[in-house]
Amino acid sequence: GAVVSQHPSWVICKSGTSVKIECRSLDFQATTMFWYRQFPKQSLMLMATSNEGSKATYEQGVEKDKFLINHASLTLSTLTVTSAHPEDSSFYICSATGALGNYGYTFGSGTRLTVV
Amino acid sequence: GEDVEQSLFLSVREGDSSVINCTYTDSSSTYLYWYKQEPGAGLQLLTYIFSNMDMKQDQRLTVLLNKKDKHLSLRIADTQTGDSAIYFCAESHTGNQFYFGTGTSLTVIP
């Protein structure tokens, strides 16, 4: 149980365009979802925390107007990278937890974004 | 924010034991985790330990926690080539939000 599906697995886009990444909890209701970013050979960095039905809380240094997060339902959160630039190329991973807390289990498989 | 530190690289010979170390600064950490990441893939939870435990063993994996020194280690017995990956330790005091270490790249030499 507690499966998180992330889509797409990889995407290539042109500079200036926007890209949407989806994170779905398949068999549980995810009251909270987290978005992480990983640069090559670096650790995961928490970008933002989103609770269903409310605005996301962004970590310091993360531009909320650039990385739009929507958590409109208990099974879906989306991250939209707006006006993407090559420096946004990275590996993005979501994780989700339900009301009872899924302690560290439920991470998506990640999305490799390449901006050209 | 919380700091979680790991050494970047480790090489071992196939069949030997691997020990990956991690230190953290947050004394209120409640949960500590080890994740494995293979190239291009997401995170796979290997094991976790609560802060009131000193040791946890799960098949080839042994986790040791020294809460006084804020030191966590992961021992992989009889390391295989399939164990080559990046290993992240992570800490949390809520069970929901995680802070990750820099990752240790484990290379297993046949």
Side-chain angles (χ1 to χ4, degrees):
Chain A
V3 176
V4 172
S5 172
Q6 190 171 337
H7 179 81
S9 299
W10 58 271
V11 57
I12 301 173
C13 71
K14 291 186 176 180
S15 270
T17 61
S18 295
V19 173
K20 181 184 285 187
I21 303 168
E22 293 186 349
C23 183
R24 292 180 185 274
S25 57
L26 296 186
D27 51 2
F28 69 101
Q29 293 186 326
T31 51
T32 306
M33 286 189 172
F34 304 91
W35 287 95
Y36 296 87
R37 180 176 181 178
Q38 185 183 32
F39 291 100
K41 299 181 181 179
Q42 293 189 32
S43 182
L44 290 164
M45 300 297 293
L46 178 65
M47 297 175 66
T49 303
S50 75
N51 294 296
E52 185 266 337
S54 62
K55 289 184 180 179
T57 302
Y58 290 81
E59 294 295 299
Q60 193 172 2
V62 178
E63 297 175 62
K64 61 180 181 181
D65 294 329
K66 182 168 188 60
F67 299 100
L68 300 179
I69 292 172
N70 184 285
H71 191 168
S73 79
L74 283 169
T75 58
L76 174 64
S77 176
T78 60
L79 168 68
T80 302
V81 183
T82 63
S83 186
H85 290 284
E87 57 264 31
D88 298 324
S89 298
S90 191
F91 193 58
Y92 294 86
I93 300 179
C94 69
S95 77
T97 185
L100 297 179
N102 303 85
Y103 301 129
Y105 294 165
T106 50
F107 280 82
S109 55
T111 298
R112 171 73 60 192
L113 170 63
T114 302
V115 184
V116 298
Chain B
E2 291 77 357
D3 282 330
V4 182
E5 305 249 344
Q6 299 175 239
S7 52
L8 290 178
F9 303 100
L10 177 66
S11 290
V12 298
R13 293 206 173 274
E14 191 173 14
D16 289 349
S17 292
S18 309
V19 179
I20 303 171
N21 294 301
C22 173
T23 58
Y24 58 98
T25 58
D26 186 2
S27 58
S28 63
S29 295
T30 307
Y31 312 98
L32 296 124
Y33 308 84
W34 283 103
Y35 288 89
K36 177 182 181 182
Q37 186 182 35
E38 298 188 36
L43 296 175
Q44 174 194 354
L45 177 68
L46 290 179
T47 187
Y48 66 93
I49 190 169
F50 293 114
S51 60
N52 61 357
M53 299 166 64
D54 298 323
M55 185 184 89
K56 182 178 181 181
Q57 186 155 3
D58 184 2
Q59 299 183 341
R60 292 191 297 125
L61 305 178
T62 303
V63 178
L64 294 178
L65 174 61
N66 182 327
K67 195 174 179 182
K68 174 176 171 290
D69 294 340
K70 301 192 188 71
H71 181 267
L72 182 73
S73 68
L74 173 69
R75 179 177 180 270
I76 305 172
D78 187 26
T79 313
Q80 302 297 307
T81 54
D83 295 324
S84 292
I86 300 177
Y87 291 80
F88 290 94
C89 67
E91 65 92 8
S92 172
H93 50 263
T94 64
N96 292 337
Q97 192 165 336
F98 308 94
Y99 294 91
F100 289 86
T102 49
T104 299
S105 178
L106 173 64
T107 301
V108 181
I109 304 164

